[in-house]
Amino acid sequence: MFGNQKTKAVCLMLLSALLFSIMQVFVKWSSAWVGTFEQTFFRNLVSLVIAAGMVRRERRDMVQEVKNGGWALWGRSLFGFLGVLLFFYAAGNARQADVAMLNRASPVFVTLFAAIFLKERITVVKIASTALCLLGAYIAMQPSFDSNPLPLLAALGAAVVAGIAYTMLSYCKNFTAPSVIIFHFSLLSTVCSAVLMLPSFVVPPLPVCFMLLMIGVFAAGGQFLLTYAYRHAPASEVSIYQYAGVVFTAGLSYFAFGEALSGSSILGGVVILGAIFWVFESQRKSGGA
């Protein structure tokens, strides 16, 4: 029977994908007023405050927890921060379909790096379902890749470093508490982005302040859910559920930006959902192996 822990991981990843998709809407809205570093600062500040409260409530020994996490914890934080910067820059300077398509390659890199460094098994179902999800994403978003090349490279780079960061996150789960992992990542990201944003900092109008707050709130929710999802299941088994974000993004783009839901968008969404269901059923029938 498909274990309760892995069922929980699937639900957490789906909710995480939804929250990150909502965050992307606010990133796009606010990019006309504030820069990438300022968006990144607010994104991580909210997570830092929440994680600090959790660490204090759980009475964690930060020095020992960080020592236990070692290089993997630092790598998760550094690569995670770099991935956020690259993604925010790409999202604010290229077509959303192009950025989303390239960013959806991150589960491919998670599966690859998890197999290399964590010795997780790559099955035919994982390969085939990931390929189907990529195909569905392409059909749904119809990327033209005619945006400026630099933001497109940034979006692809974000997928690569996210794959590295999530692999290290999966490794850290054996040594470090989720609240400490999130606190470490948020603290490093908040400090770095604060330094980087100072030269171009602008005081945003009140509506934009609300957008920045929402970036932080939804990013924090997505980050917490994602971290706990990787704690309950192997990286290569849960990363594919991030593709649900394509479906969520298409629906949110329709309501937020008036982007039409074309036949290709619907078809692509059906392909992705079918692949996700296939993976879920395959893992359930094999007991999550």
Side-chain angles (χ1 to χ4, degrees):
M1 182 178 291
F2 196 50
N4 289 334
Q5 292 297 308
K6 293 184 179 179
T7 302
K8 183 185 295 184
V10 171
C11 294
L12 291 174
M13 283 298 286
L14 292 175
L15 287 173
S16 174
L18 174 60
L19 294 185
F20 278 129
S21 294
I22 297 174
M23 179 206 72
Q24 189 174 341
V25 171
F26 287 101
V27 169
K28 184 65 176 179
W29 274 340
S30 61
S31 61
W33 288 275
V34 297
T36 300
F37 297 136
E38 196 164 342
Q39 289 176 320
T40 306
F41 173 78
F42 282 95
R43 177 206 189 277
N44 292 291
L45 182 61
V46 175
S47 295
L48 176 61
V49 172
I50 297 174
M54 291 181 65
V55 169
R56 183 174 181 179
R57 186 186 64 189
E58 296 171 2
R59 300 181 184 275
R60 297 289 179 182
D61 184 343
M62 281 295 299
V63 175
Q64 187 59 48
E65 291 274 357
V66 172
K67 183 179 179 180
N68 291 342
W71 62 267
L73 179 61
W74 282 98
R76 186 273 173 274
S77 297
L78 288 169
F79 282 108
F81 173 64
L82 178 59
V84 171
L85 284 182
L86 291 171
F87 176 75
F88 276 29
Y89 170 76
N93 294 276
R95 292 179 67 250
Q96 292 303 291
D98 295 346
V99 173
M101 180 65 219
L102 290 171
N103 191 59
R104 296 309 176 206
S106 62
V108 176
F109 295 108
V110 172
T111 301
L112 176 62
F113 294 140
I116 295 174
F117 299 110
L118 303 181
K119 308 305 179 183
E120 293 184 9
R121 187 162 58 95
I122 297 181
T123 64
V124 174
V125 173
K126 290 179 183 178
I127 296 173
S129 58
T130 300
L132 278 175
C133 283
L134 284 172
L135 175 62
Y138 182 84
I139 294 172
M141 291 180 283
Q142 293 289 300
S144 60
F145 299 117
D146 58 356
S147 301
N148 189 300
L150 188 57
L152 294 183
L153 287 174
L156 181 59
V160 175
V161 297
I164 298 173
Y166 293 153
T167 302
M168 292 184 174
L169 167 61
S170 186
Y171 179 82
C172 282
K173 70 184 181 183
N174 299 315
F175 311 100
T176 312
S179 58
V180 175
I181 294 174
I182 298 170
F183 178 81
H184 190 273
F185 165 65
S186 300
L187 178 60
L188 183 145
S189 299
T190 301
V191 172
C192 291
S193 56
V195 173
L196 292 171
M197 80 170 178
L198 287 177
S200 59
F201 176 75
V202 296
V203 179
L206 190 59
V208 180
C209 287
F210 174 76
M211 294 179 194
L212 293 174
L213 177 62
M214 290 299 99
I215 289 175
V217 168
F218 287 109
Q223 188 63 55
F224 274 87
L225 293 172
L226 181 145
T227 300
Y228 279 94
Y230 276 96
R231 189 172 183 81
H232 291 302
S236 61
E237 290 188 11
V238 296
S239 61
I240 192 171
Y241 296 101
Q242 288 179 279
Y243 282 107
V246 174
V247 180
F248 297 141
T249 298
L252 290 169
S253 296
Y254 172 77
F255 290 106
F257 305 118
E259 297 180 4
L261 283 176
S262 62
S264 60
S265 298
I266 297 173
L267 176 60
V270 170
V271 172
I272 291 171
L273 292 176
I276 288 175
F277 181 75
W278 178 28
V279 170
F280 180 82
E281 281 296 295
S282 175
Q283 291 174 350
R284 183 183 65 82
K285 290 177 180 178
S286 63

